[in-house]
Amino acid sequence: MADSTPAIELRHTTKRFGDTVALDDVSMVIEPGEFFCLLGPSGCGKTTTLNLIGGFIPMSSGELLIEGRTVTDLPPHKRNVNTVFQNYALFPHMTVAQNVAFGLRMERLPSAEVTRRTGEYLDLVGLAGLSRRLPSEMSGGQQQRVALARALAKRPAVLLLDEPLGALDLKLRKAMQTELSRIHRQVGTTFVFVTHDQDEALSMATRIAIMSGGQVSQVGTPREVYDRPVNRFVADFVGETNFLPGTVSTEGGRQMVVLSGGGRVAAPSGAPEGSATLMVRPESLTLRSSQEPAADACLAGRIVNVAFLGNHTRITVTTSAGDIVAIRPHGTNARPAHPIQELGEEVCVWWPADDAAIIAD
Amino acid sequence: MTADTASAADVAPLAGPRPGLRRRLERAAPFLPGLAMLTLLFVIPMFIMLAFSFWKTNSSFDLVRDWNLNNYARFFNQPTYIRTFAKTLVMASAVTAAGLAISLPFTYFLVRYVSRRFQRAVLLAVIVPFWTSYLLRVYAWQAILGEKGALNQFLMATGIIQQPSTLFVYNDLAVFVVLIYVYFPFAALALYAALEKFDFTQLNAAQDLGARPDQAFRHILLPQIRTGIITACIFVFIPILGEFLTPTLVGGASGSLIANLIVNFTRQGQFPEGAALAIVIAVFVTILLVVFRRSLRVEDVVARG
Amino acid sequence: MTDLMREYSRRQFLKVTGAASLALGMGGIAAACANVASSPSAPASAAPGAGSSSGAGASAAAAASAAPTGTFNWMTWGDHWYQAQVDTIAANNNIKANSTLFSDNIDAYTKLKQVGGQLDMVSGDALWVPHYFESGLIEAWDINSLKVASQLYSIARSFPIWTKPEGYLGYPFGWSPVQIYYDPAKVSPAPDSWEVLLDPKYKGRVVVEDQPVEIMAYMGKFAGVVNAYSMTPEEIAKAKDLLKQLKPNILRLANQATDTIAALKTGEAWIATGNLGTESRVKDQGGPDLNVFTPKEGTIGWMDSEMVVKGGANENLIMPFLELAEQAEYIAANFILNGRPLFNEKAYGILVNQGQQERADRFLYNKPETVQTMDLKGPGTSTQAVIDAFNEVFGS
């Protein structure tokens, strides 16, 4: 089967602002129909990447192809890309319908078509009856949907979204995340989404690019990025992780990790010898009572903090290797076998050896 | 006892004519100072002028309370007044248009591309000329536009002309140029106020949606700074209808505007005659404002932001 | 907005407007006070002596003999006095002159009508003086009761237009005809008539004052009118036609004499109308040598005097002041400063002794009878019609 043309391809893109290097030799391929997420902390270059794709700022060097066509020097309105801006940038002097129709008018579409499409996309985002309203008369969530409809009505190859959910409150944000996913599935356009919220990225994206300091750390599906982070930064940024520095050595035919602060635990299979950092997610940990006989090596510690977070409890255990965080789910997923731990209790932290990973620094 | 007081308390705040009147007076109170000033400084003088316009001056330069319409008839019967007024309207419109054409790019650049700190400095530079006398500033233009002035010297130095030209001063062109200079700050400040409130990311969005820069300007920016433009027009057009100093100083023999004709009367003590002409202009301006009141939408100018 | 918030902003508004109107009110009061201050210690010094005076020098003479002191209010042209003169009189005799300026007679006339007794002495031209008297604004008094009046040319003490049964109407000061100045290097042959102003050769090279009544008067003189300030409709029509010919020649209408002089100095203007002494002032500023002539058709001119305001609060100070200020030494110094002929004959002698005779003669100082050939300035009866004609020509 022939390779389909990527929706977006960035080749060796660099962007400098004066002396600052915002993007350092970044290359990226985004396939058609993806919900691609650019994730990273402030200043990592994700918004710069978005603006470069959109054509709002020029590249210092590199190439950009959209649907196989080089668009590096084209202005925004000549690329087949539309953007949903962070502050929505709705036109306050136009009604909702006029806002959505604006791009279509600029394309010189016949007015019947403009009307039809405007109605179609307002329906799509769930604002059917509100076409005559002014943006100032709508809530934040509704405004966001207008911005979405306005951009999608142009049927672009790629839709860029610049932290669009940032201004919404938590509940609304979660609702909009579901909405966005639904809309994406329905229209099939490639979405490129910028966010600093890793929950958002994990829940909506088909693939995520984690960025830091102007470079891409890892690109992969949410699961890949979560389960197999390539470096400490990614592991730390996506979800919560415990890091335990130590040395891998073989003892009696089994690989063990001798932790820096003392204590030994089983090493994951195939761990290279030598000094390394062990990473293990909180949900992989089991807290055993210290009185229990230990069949496998586990890490002794004392509970110093117990935080009730609704559907789970977050337990901080201080050990010789540092503080470790464990998660204890409630409800149906709780493991009734283990007793509820109390603050100050002495426990032994254990995890299946392969649930951990050796992380490069 | 308790029943009585309870019912009184229920009824007291809203019922009865006296509490209502007092309430209305209370609400009107804040407007009284403004109303008083307006009446004293504007309404009463205008009415005095209106009364004057129906009287005459006798040859002893005394005011004769002889009610007549002769002064108004003068405006309509002697063609020079209508012609000069028409010329003044044209001049005012031209200066307004040119002023907008210059201030808009200037202010746009200032708001969009200049850092906040320097914006203040530039605005100060625009306002500083107001601290010098109007007369002095216009005199300065004589020095620039005159036969031996800076402009002629520049043109001769660069070889564009061989002889100094008398084309630039003591004519309508000089009045036009100087009026643009004098009224530029009004236009610039009004536009600045409007542009400052404008969200420039909308222009990005418009371009993203396929608008060319000129289309984005026309469909997105212009409608939203409409109030600024209208304010600028009002503050430039209307005062020019009363301009006589600049035409006197740089207009030469042919640059007279309607206010010059009025001043010719009032300077010789012919107040009723001058008043009538001035009232005609005031009525015209009022009619303009009434006809265009929809597009002015005062509540926009006042309440926005 | 809840009622609470509405209340609060109303209070704020009240405070703000209250403060603003208070400030404005104070400002207004301050401005009014500054204005009234031009008759400052008026109530204080005036109390006993002032009141209404029934004409004549009786009260004036009585006041003079009592050596009064104080400040009086003088509305005049800026060249009727100079600072050292006023300072000396104030220092030596304690009579201070508080001067306000005006630009032309109609200005002063209307102002005097409004403020009346707040002014004590007003300067005025020629036929305006009797007009002031007929309007009941000034006193008539015996000019020979002033010792300094003997220094005047005798003709100045007996101008018919200033003589009334009740007395003389003003203390004569100076005079000048309107003349035409031209740059002989640019204008030839040497002109002698008003016609040179209209000559198409000098398009855009003429400067005249921005005074509609005066300009029409010039055209009237050219047309042979006898009384240029009281023209008949036919005369006005003739003047208007001439004005139409003048208009293209005008470079600019000068707001003040300094504008005329500036235009002549730079050479932008070759011909101008002005009072005596204009060519000296141009030369002083480094301008070209100009020639001057009085048009053969006749010209207009002014002669001015100091008038005593009727019911002035400080009337008792006027005669003593005149006795001092009109002394020949001061007048001679004034001539040297400002260069136009004055009516003080003794001052001419001083000027001759100082070696200024040539200049004085050039300015016709010793020929005060020239005023009888001038069409004298005055309110006239055709002001309004003349302005209409002027507007017709100079409007669009």
Side-chain angles (χ1 to χ4, degrees):
Chain A
M1 196 171 76
D3 279 354
S4 59
T5 323
I8 295 185
E9 197 178 339
L10 275 169
R11 291 183 186 163
H12 301 289
T13 308
T14 305
K15 175 66 188 169
R16 274 182 223 96
F17 290 109
D19 288 331
T20 334
V21 179
L23 281 187
D24 193 359
D25 195 27
V26 164
S27 298
M28 217 183 271
V29 170
I30 303 177
E31 302 295 342
E34 286 208 77
F35 197 129
F36 193 86
C37 199
L38 299 173
L39 176 67
S42 302
C44 67
K46 57 193 193 294
T47 308
T48 310
T49 311
L50 200 75
N51 284 335
L52 281 175
I53 299 176
F56 300 109
I57 53 179
M59 268 181 224
S60 303
S61 69
E63 262 191 291
L64 171 66
L65 291 90
I66 297 183
E67 288 185 314
R69 212 173 49 137
T70 310
V71 299
T72 319
D73 297 315
L74 290 182
H77 58 273
K78 295 246 179 74
R79 312 183 183 199
N80 200 356
V81 168
N82 284 114
T83 310
V84 177
F85 294 85
Q86 192 167 7
N87 66 346
Y88 316 143
L90 295 180
F91 307 134
H93 63 294
M94 295 185 182
T95 64
V96 163
Q98 286 169 338
N99 263 280
V100 174
F102 183 78
L104 307 174
R105 271 174 51 210
M106 291 299 118
E107 267 180 64
R108 310 284 206 76
L109 292 180
S111 60
E113 173 73 10
V114 171
T115 321
R116 198 186 59 76
R117 266 210 236 177
T118 308
E120 179 189 334
Y121 282 91
L122 281 177
D123 276 339
L124 176 70
V125 300
L127 291 177
L130 302 175
S131 59
R132 297 280 204 85
R133 293 261 190 96
L134 289 176
S136 54
E137 296 165 353
M138 312 193 85
S139 70
Q142 289 171 323
Q143 286 178 359
Q144 213 249 5
R145 286 192 253 171
V146 175
L148 198 56
R150 183 174 73 175
L152 284 174
K154 300 258 299 174
R155 302 203 175 141
V158 180
L159 184 70
L160 305 177
L161 299 102
D162 185 3
E163 303 207 46
L165 305 183
L168 306 175
D169 62 75
L170 183 63
K171 260 192 126 96
L172 195 51
R173 211 183 311 152
K174 297 233 173 285
M176 277 309 298
Q177 284 168 14
T178 323
E179 273 295 286
L180 272 176
S181 300
R182 173 185 70 78
I183 294 171
H184 172 250
R185 278 194 303 274
Q186 212 168 321
V187 298
T189 315
T190 312
F191 278 27
V192 179
F193 190 99
V194 160
T195 181
H196 60 270
D197 183 335
Q198 39 112 350
D199 280 341
E200 233 165 58
L202 291 175
S203 68
M204 292 196 289
T206 55
R207 274 199 306 157
I208 306 179
I210 318 260
M211 296 181 71
S212 161
Q215 291 177 327
V216 178
S217 299
Q218 182 173 2
V219 179
T221 67
R223 193 150 276 270
E224 284 167 13
V225 160
Y226 187 83
D227 286 341
R228 283 182 292 283
V230 303
N231 61 24
R232 190 189 174 112
F233 170 75
V234 176
D236 200 18
F237 192 80
V238 183
E240 205 170 356
T241 317
N242 296 301
F243 293 105
L244 307 166
T247 319
V248 177
S249 61
T250 315
E251 291 173 13
R254 283 177 44 197
Q255 278 188 311
M256 303 294 286
V257 181
V258 180
L259 300 171
S260 308
R264 289 145 75 238
V265 290
S269 2
E273 300 278 312
S275 86
T277 304
L278 197 61
M279 67 151 268
V280 61
R281 299 272 186 198
E283 61 269 19
S284 307
L285 302 178
T286 308
L287 300 178
R288 291 182 180 157
S289 156
S290 50
Q291 276 87 30
E292 256 185 57
D296 305 317
C298 68
L299 199 51
R302 194 182 74 248
I303 297 180
V304 289
N305 195 30
V306 177
F308 173 71
L309 289 163
N311 58 4
H312 65 272
T313 302
R314 197 163 169 274
I315 303 169
T316 314
V317 180
T318 189
T319 69
S320 55
D323 282 356
I324 296 188
V325 175
I327 301 278
R328 185 183 167 77
H330 300 164
T332 335
N333 298 313
R335 280 172 277 176
H338 291 273
I340 296 172
Q341 277 81 5
E342 306 262 330
L343 194 59
E345 211 178 301
E346 299 285 338
V347 292
C348 200
V349 184
W350 177 88
W351 59 88
D354 283 329
D355 274 0
I358 298 289
I359 197 84
D361 279 331
Chain B
M1 192 64 173
T2 41
D4 284 0
T5 47
S7 63
D10 288 338
V11 149
L14 298 168
R18 272 192 23 233
L21 178 63
R22 186 158 162 250
R23 202 111 195 282
R24 258 185 283 139
L25 282 177
E26 270 181 11
R27 280 165 166 257
F31 294 102
L32 288 181
L35 203 61
M37 256 180 53
L38 200 65
T39 310
L40 210 60
L41 299 178
F42 177 70
V43 173
I44 289 181
M46 280 299 275
F47 271 91
I48 292 178
M49 230 175 74
L50 187 63
F52 269 40
S53 69
F54 292 115
W55 298 339
K56 334 197 261 217
T57 317
N58 66 8
S59 47
S60 281
F61 297 95
D62 292 320
L63 201 57
V64 177
R65 285 170 172 68
D66 190 8
W67 298 85
N68 70 82
L69 287 174
N70 294 349
N71 300 323
Y72 288 99
R74 168 184 284 107
F75 183 88
F76 295 103
N77 292 345
Q78 291 181 26
T80 183
Y81 296 101
I82 296 186
R83 277 202 312 257
T84 313
F85 187 43
K87 175 184 174 187
T88 312
L89 288 174
V90 169
M91 176 68 81
S93 310
V95 172
T96 307
L100 278 176
I102 296 179
S103 322
L104 197 51
F106 170 78
T107 331
Y108 183 89
F109 182 84
L110 188 63
V111 174
R112 191 147 194 210
Y113 299 112
V114 175
S115 73
R116 270 277 142 171
R117 214 157 37 94
F118 286 123
Q119 275 183 34
R120 290 227 189 92
V122 172
L123 281 178
L124 199 63
V126 168
I127 295 175
V128 157
F130 282 139
W131 300 351
T132 42
S133 134
Y134 176 101
L135 219 52
L136 278 184
R137 286 188 283 147
V138 179
Y139 264 119
W141 275 96
Q142 282 184 18
I144 296 175
L145 296 173
E147 205 180 347
K148 307 269 170 80
L151 181 59
N152 264 314
Q153 289 185 17
F154 169 75
L155 289 176
M156 289 208 293
T158 55
I160 296 180
I161 56 175
Q162 256 58 51
Q163 296 272 45
S165 165
T166 53
L167 274 184
F168 304 119
V169 76
Y170 303 133
N171 53 20
D172 289 324
L173 175 65
V175 175
F176 177 69
V177 168
V178 175
L179 284 179
I180 293 179
Y181 162 75
V182 169
Y183 285 95
F184 169 78
F186 294 100
L189 290 175
L191 287 176
Y192 179 84
L195 276 174
E196 223 200 342
K197 297 185 195 137
F198 180 72
D199 172 17
F200 283 93
T201 56
Q202 287 176 44
L203 295 182
N204 287 356
Q207 292 203 356
D208 174 76
L209 293 168
R212 287 189 316 263
D214 64 286
Q215 287 175 314
F217 178 80
R218 217 178 83 223
H219 293 288
I220 309 297
L221 180 64
L222 226 43
Q224 288 182 60
I225 58 171
R226 208 170 51 85
T227 56
I229 294 180
I230 288 173
T231 310
C233 286
I234 291 178
F235 278 107
V236 175
F237 185 87
I238 293 180
I240 290 186
L241 297 183
E243 268 285 339
F244 66 92
L245 264 183
T246 298
T248 306
L249 292 173
V250 295
S254 54
S256 294
L257 298 180
I258 186 71
N260 291 96
L261 303 188
I262 298 178
V263 158
N264 285 342
F265 279 111
T266 55
R267 277 219 180 122
Q268 298 295 325
Q270 316 284 314
F271 297 113
E273 292 73 10
L277 298 174
I279 296 273
V280 170
I281 298 183
V283 166
F284 177 83
V285 169
T286 310
I287 293 179
L288 260 189
L289 291 176
V290 166
V291 164
F292 287 105
R293 71 188 180 288
R294 287 272 172 66
S295 39
L296 287 182
R297 282 221 294 239
V298 177
E299 65 273 6
D300 271 2
V301 177
V302 172
R304 208 46 110 100
Chain C
M1 247 206 311
T2 65
D3 248 28
L4 182 62
M5 284 176 69
R6 206 182 292 137
E7 275 254 296
Y8 184 67
S9 47
R10 223 193 308 151
R11 227 180 296 144
Q12 258 189 337
F13 182 98
L14 247 180
K15 270 196 240 162
V16 169
T17 50
S21 351
L22 198 63
L24 270 165
M26 300 302 272
I29 292 173
C33 281
N35 236 337
V36 175
S38 46
S39 48
S41 44
S45 62
S52 60
S53 31
S54 47
S59 54
S65 59
T69 61
T71 313
F72 72 97
N73 298 301
W74 186 15
M75 189 160 65
T76 181
W77 285 284
D79 60 349
H80 275 221
W81 52 277
Y82 58 95
Q83 196 59 44
Q85 168 192 27
V86 163
D87 287 343
T88 311
I89 296 177
N92 293 347
N93 305 80
N94 245 316
I95 300 180
K96 296 189 202 27
N98 184 15
S99 317
T100 44
L101 302 179
F102 65 90
S103 48
D104 53 47
N105 291 289
I106 181 70
D107 209 8
Y109 180 77
T110 40
K111 190 147 183 220
L112 183 59
K113 272 212 295 195
Q114 286 165 16
V115 305
Q118 284 178 38
L119 290 165
D120 303 298
M121 189 158 83
V122 177
S123 309
D125 275 333
L127 290 164
W128 280 94
V129 176
H131 187 69
Y132 274 92
F133 183 71
E134 274 142 35
S135 308
L137 295 171
I138 59 169
E139 306 271 7
W141 43 280
D142 180 11
I143 186 166
N144 295 310
S145 69
L146 277 176
K147 282 201 296 229
V148 69
S150 58
Q151 295 179 6
L152 296 169
Y153 285 102
S154 56
I155 188 176
R157 277 171 280 151
S158 53
F159 287 123
I161 57 168
W162 289 352
T163 310
K164 292 282 172 200
E166 296 87 336
Y168 212 57
L169 297 180
Y171 191 94
F173 183 75
W175 58 279
S176 174
V178 170
Q179 298 180 301
I180 300 185
Y181 297 83
Y182 66 95
D183 184 352
K186 304 271 172 43
V187 177
S188 62
D192 63 352
S193 153
W194 289 103
E195 194 168 13
V196 68
L197 295 176
L198 282 59
D199 192 335
K201 267 197 294 184
Y202 308 117
K203 184 152 188 240
R205 293 291 176 189
V206 175
V207 175
V208 289
E209 308 85 28
D210 186 11
Q211 297 279 5
V213 174
E214 303 303 315
I215 299 181
M216 283 295 282
Y218 300 161
M219 296 298 106
K221 290 317 286 184
F222 183 32
V225 165
V226 168
N227 192 341
Y229 292 98
S230 301
M231 296 197 272
T232 66
E234 297 81 31
E235 290 171 335
I236 293 179
K238 272 197 267 179
K240 182 172 154 193
D241 283 334
L242 293 172
L243 192 62
K244 284 195 198 147
Q245 293 175 45
L246 173 63
K247 182 177 173 184
N249 277 19
I250 294 180
L251 174 71
R252 59 175 306 200
L253 296 164
N255 225 6
Q256 331 171 46
T258 42
D259 294 325
T260 309
I261 290 170
L264 288 169
K265 170 200 160 210
T266 59
E268 290 175 282
W270 298 342
I271 308 173
T273 55
N275 292 327
L276 280 170
T278 303
E279 87 280 24
S280 314
R281 289 163 77 179
V282 172
K283 188 86 192 293
D284 285 343
Q285 296 211 6
D289 282 321
L290 302 174
N291 286 358
V292 56
F293 70 94
T294 304
K296 67 179 185 216
E297 297 89 352
T299 185
I300 59 181
W302 53 270
M303 56 187 207
D304 57 24
S305 61
E306 317 295 350
M307 303 178 284
V308 177
V309 174
K310 198 173 199 156
N314 305 299
E315 203 177 328
N316 57 328
L317 297 172
I318 303 299
M319 294 303 155
F321 180 79
L322 287 174
E323 281 283 11
L324 299 160
E326 299 295 332
Q327 292 293 334
E329 293 77 18
Y330 290 130
I331 301 300
N334 195 314
F335 173 81
I336 294 179
L337 271 176
N338 296 306
R340 69 260 172 281
L342 306 168
F343 283 118
N344 191 315
E345 187 171 15
K346 189 168 173 208
Y348 181 70
I350 297 179
L351 289 168
V352 168
N353 289 345
Q354 290 181 354
Q356 296 277 344
Q357 181 173 13
E358 184 275 324
R359 189 161 177 234
D361 286 348
R362 193 157 34 97
F363 286 151
L364 308 178
Y365 193 109
N366 58 346
K367 293 195 168 35
E369 59 276 12
T370 316
V371 302
Q372 292 165 329
T373 66
M374 307 183 321
D375 190 353
L376 290 173
K377 267 198 184 184
T381 53
S382 54
T383 304
Q384 206 173 108
V386 148
I387 296 176
D388 270 324
F390 182 88
N391 277 352
E392 285 223 31
V393 175
F394 280 86
S396 318

